[in-house]
Amino acid sequence: MLGFFRKRRRSGAGLFAFGTKLQYLSLGGTKGSFSVEKCVDLPQELPPSQGDLFADADTLEANLLRLKERLGGKWGPPVSVGIQAKDVLVRIVEMPRLEPEDLRDAFRFEFDKYFPFPAQEACFDIAPIDHPSAREGGDQVHAVVAACRLHPMELFLTAADRLGLEVEAVEPSMLSLFRCLQGPNLPPEEGNLYVMAGVHSSLLVVGYRDHGILFRNVAHGFQEKVLEEGRLQSFAREVYSTANFSNSQFRNLPIRKIYLGGYGSRYGEVLREGIESMSGIPVTLVDPWDLWNVQRRPDPPLGWEVVLGLALRSQDRP
């Protein structure tokens, strides 16, 4: 089983299934000068009783074959595959300082404390992260753990192998969004709040250096053409309360800046000013395509953030 956090740095393509869409994007070039080589936004053909691409092997293979046809009949580079937020759980845990493989084995005995399904029915991975509460030279380490149900992941990897699609990695979509929005260079502040305002829901991530240490999904989407005042105020309060919670949990890591991107950024200054007014924290609008210097972007470019983050996975910082 592929680990969520292990990198062999070959992937230049991302694949993400969500709702009624299957998105694919591949990149060419090198860090600082990328270009989109192929991008496909493919509606999924699902039976009325099936709302998930990963629920049935035959339907999954049929949709992957349709994708292959749209790509000209052959697969591109190895893909990093995104898992929807509803299908994966991410936790920050504290563990003894061990080698990576030993850390993963040790966490098996702790798994049931953090996740609502048994370890033997799960696909999970764990990786050490920087954390503001860590004691230098201590015998404990903070780590991020991601876990999903094993069956749908096995179904997908089996189908991919049968169709000749090389899967380099699987990753929670929230980590892809965080990478996409943070960019290739660390911000000057140690503590920041990243806000990805999505179509149906939004992601809030407290970042410490280049790691996410707090993840929140909120049921605020921005698909309407006009941003109503009530929705703006409600969303701004969610951002404000997240910043306050982070400040209370990590007293030595005050939130200095909020970075805002995603589908909701099309409201521009209205959303930015609403969040800044409510929180009292400076807010910067972020365009990930400019941040990563990606040319030949899709038109329109909004809504591709997860799959862009997946395609950039092999270009992430060491």
Side-chain angles (χ1 to χ4, degrees):
M1 179 60 62
L2 292 171
F4 291 151
F5 307 121
R6 298 168 212 178
K7 298 180 183 180
R8 285 176 283 179
R9 300 188 179 276
R10 293 187 299 140
S11 174
L15 177 65
F16 185 48
F18 67 103
T20 59
K21 283 186 177 183
L22 188 64
Q23 282 188 327
Y24 173 95
L25 185 142
S26 61
L27 295 173
T30 57
K31 184 180 288 188
S33 182
F34 293 113
S35 180
V36 174
E37 293 188 334
K38 292 186 179 181
C39 61
V40 175
D41 192 346
L42 186 68
Q44 298 177 30
E45 295 180 357
L46 302 176
S49 60
Q50 182 181 328
D52 190 342
L53 183 71
F54 292 80
D56 177 78
D58 292 337
T59 303
L60 174 59
E61 288 196 22
N63 280 279
L64 288 176
L65 282 173
R66 290 175 59 234
L67 173 62
K68 185 177 181 180
E69 291 172 5
R70 287 284 298 274
L71 293 173
K74 63 179 182 179
W75 300 113
V79 297
S80 293
V81 179
I83 309 174
Q84 292 186 86
K86 72 179 184 64
D87 296 323
V88 63
L89 297 173
V90 176
R91 302 283 187 263
I92 305 299
V93 302
E94 195 169 358
M95 293 288 293
R97 191 178 296 276
L98 300 167
E99 293 299 320
E101 283 302 321
D102 295 333
L103 184 66
R104 191 173 189 277
D105 290 340
F107 184 75
R108 286 186 180 276
F109 298 100
E110 305 290 323
F111 189 91
D112 292 348
K113 295 180 182 179
Y114 298 96
F115 298 100
F117 43 87
Q120 59 268 29
E121 296 177 10
C123 171
F124 78 92
D125 201 6
I126 182 171
I129 60 170
D130 292 329
H131 197 279
S133 302
R135 297 178 181 177
E136 188 173 347
D139 57 0
Q140 296 291 107
V141 64
H142 287 81
V144 57
V145 185
C148 68
R149 296 279 184 178
L150 181 60
H151 175 70
M153 191 51 54
E154 286 183 329
L155 185 149
F156 177 83
L157 293 176
T158 299
D161 185 62
R162 189 155 41 233
L163 298 176
L165 171 62
E166 188 174 356
V167 178
E168 176 63 21
V170 292
E171 180 174 80
S173 61
M174 59 191 70
L175 298 183
S176 307
L177 285 171
F178 176 56
R179 174 185 304 112
C180 183
L181 200 58
Q182 191 178 50
N185 302 306
L186 283 175
E189 313 85 10
E190 279 198 332
N192 301 287
L193 179 58
Y194 296 87
V195 180
M196 182 62 72
V199 178
H200 303 294
S201 63
S202 297
L203 174 71
L204 310 177
V205 182
V206 174
Y208 173 64
R209 298 175 181 170
D210 60 347
H211 293 118
I213 58 172
L214 176 67
F215 297 86
R216 279 195 70 207
N217 278 294
V218 295
H220 285 269
F222 295 91
Q223 55 185 321
E224 291 86 0
K225 292 182 179 180
V226 178
L227 180 59
E228 298 178 354
E229 182 65 21
R231 181 178 292 273
L232 169 60
Q233 293 297 316
S234 179
F235 185 67
R237 277 193 296 272
E238 289 282 7
V239 176
Y240 172 59
S241 65
T242 302
N244 268 353
F245 178 78
S246 175
N247 288 337
S248 68
Q249 292 292 303
F250 315 114
R251 295 187 181 277
N252 58 339
L253 186 73
I255 299 299
R256 301 292 189 189
K257 201 163 189 179
I258 296 172
Y259 292 92
L260 171 65
Y263 201 74
S265 63
R266 65 196 180 115
Y267 301 116
E269 289 300 306
V270 174
L271 187 58
R272 188 195 70 79
E273 290 177 2
I275 294 174
E276 193 168 276
S277 176
M278 177 72 72
S279 67
I281 301 171
V283 178
T284 296
L285 283 169
V286 176
D287 181 342
W289 303 94
D290 288 342
L291 196 63
W292 287 91
N293 193 23
V294 181
Q295 307 302 314
R296 297 180 59 198
R297 61 193 66 178
D299 184 23
L302 293 174
W304 288 86
E305 290 83 6
V306 171
V307 75
L308 174 61
L310 289 165
L312 289 164
R313 191 175 192 272
S314 60
Q315 302 296 332
D316 197 16
R317 290 180 294 274

